[in-house]
Amino acid sequence: NMVQSINHWALASDFIEDSNNTYKATSIADLLFGNNGLDTYQETIATSWLIHWKLAGEARKTTTWYWLFNKLTNPILEKEFLIKNLFSFAEKLQSKTSLTTLRRDLDCCLRSYVPSEGNVTPEELSESVLGDLGILRQISRGKYEFVRGEKDSLPQGIFVYALLKFWEMHSRFSGQESLSFSAIAHEDRSPGRVFKLDEASIAERLSQLEDFTQGKLIWTDSQGIRTVSRRDNMINPDAILRLAYE
């Protein structure tokens, strides 16, 4: 029902958390929607990009989003191909989810970015809540493609926040003081993959890191070495997130 749906998406977007069977607002929810919040009525595209990151990058409760934006590299995404491959992915995870449920979940995911096919009502159009990101488009009936390259509407604060969360989440990198360009651009859950950025636009954003973070993160691009280094291990992703709304 509606209450369960709201609860699911609030958890998936990291706006509420379950603490001993009691739900409470997260620090991000307080930052955005609390008293004097940065985006009280969810009107800015920064929040849309943040939600996309939470669903496809951190992906606590949204396996389909994670799979679509991290595991697929095909230039053209056909609906039936997607369903078959999502089912195979679910089987590898030993999930007993039915094909019907996966089809419904995939439809929900796709409609988040593009309107429903056919005669679209205003209600259906409103379902494409992340459509303004321009990261996925429908090219014909049942066929989609990612829009790769620079995303002018993606705030640097959201990009750097995602970079820090990726660094924190990934067991291979979480204890390291530096992160390679290849990882940032191509690893699962990386900003490059989740935001569908090309290498040139990623490098341009990384070149601004030192100024943007006041020296807490340093980009090196010299003699074949391309890395981001941390000078401050206590850098706070939520503090960086605030910069996306300034």
Side-chain angles (χ1 to χ4, degrees):
N1 61 29
M2 183 64 72
V3 173
Q4 290 176 322
S5 178
I6 292 172
N7 180 68
H8 170 80
W9 292 113
L11 284 167
S13 300
D14 196 22
F15 293 151
I16 63 172
E17 59 187 352
D18 186 353
S19 177
N20 297 321
N21 296 318
T22 300
Y23 295 107
K24 64 179 184 178
T26 61
S27 60
I28 289 178
D30 286 336
L31 180 68
L32 298 183
F33 311 126
N35 294 331
N36 301 313
L38 300 175
D39 190 16
T40 308
Y41 299 105
Q42 197 178 321
E43 297 174 307
T44 73
I45 199 166
T47 302
S48 296
W49 279 113
L50 177 62
I51 291 171
H52 169 70
W53 166 257
K54 292 293 181 179
L55 299 181
E58 296 182 28
R60 292 180 175 88
K61 291 180 170 291
T62 45
T63 301
T64 298
W65 270 255
Y66 163 74
W67 165 81
L68 180 65
F69 284 94
N70 290 278
K71 294 300 185 182
L72 297 182
T73 57
N74 306 57
I76 304 297
L77 307 171
E78 297 192 40
K79 191 82 166 287
E80 290 307 311
F81 165 85
L82 292 176
I83 292 168
K84 290 178 183 177
N85 278 266
L86 178 57
F87 187 72
S88 296
F89 183 71
E91 285 187 321
K92 290 178 183 177
L93 297 178
Q94 297 184 329
S95 169
K96 296 181 180 179
T97 308
S98 70
L99 188 60
T100 300
T101 299
L102 290 175
R103 186 182 294 272
R104 187 167 59 243
D105 205 37
L106 178 62
D107 284 340
C108 176
C109 179
L110 294 173
R111 284 202 307 271
S112 298
Y113 299 91
V114 296
S116 302
E117 296 178 337
N119 296 322
V120 180
T121 67
E123 291 76 15
E124 289 172 325
L125 187 61
S126 69
E127 289 182 354
S128 54
V129 292
L130 302 177
D132 54 350
L133 304 184
I135 197 170
L136 181 72
R137 64 187 168 208
Q138 185 173 357
I139 54 177
S140 63
R141 186 171 183 82
K143 291 185 179 181
Y144 304 83
E145 67 178 357
F146 292 122
V147 180
R148 304 177 189 275
E150 175 55 29
K151 304 297 187 297
D152 293 334
S153 67
L154 173 63
Q156 182 73 345
I158 299 295
F159 174 81
V160 179
Y161 174 85
L163 172 62
L164 291 171
K165 298 300 284 187
F166 165 68
W167 206 333
E168 174 185 299
M169 287 188 302
H170 212 302
S171 58
R172 284 174 54 200
F173 310 124
S174 59
Q176 298 180 6
E177 295 305 309
S178 63
L179 196 59
S180 71
F181 177 83
S182 177
I184 296 166
H186 301 298
E187 285 281 349
D188 278 8
R189 303 180 189 270
S190 67
R193 282 215 175 211
V194 173
F195 297 134
K196 299 305 171 193
L197 300 168
D198 58 18
E199 290 194 351
S201 59
I202 295 170
E204 175 61 27
R205 286 179 177 271
L206 295 178
S207 71
Q208 302 168 24
L209 271 184
E210 186 169 358
D211 287 341
F212 189 80
T213 64
Q214 298 181 326
K216 293 181 176 67
L217 296 177
I218 305 296
W219 166 238
T220 301
D221 186 358
S222 176
Q223 298 180 337
I225 298 174
R226 306 176 86 191
T227 60
V228 172
S229 302
R230 282 189 289 210
R231 285 186 176 171
D232 184 352
N233 287 328
M234 301 304 292
I235 185 170
N236 184 351
D238 285 4
I240 294 294
L241 183 62
R242 180 181 289 275
L243 300 178
Y245 295 85
E246 294 182 350

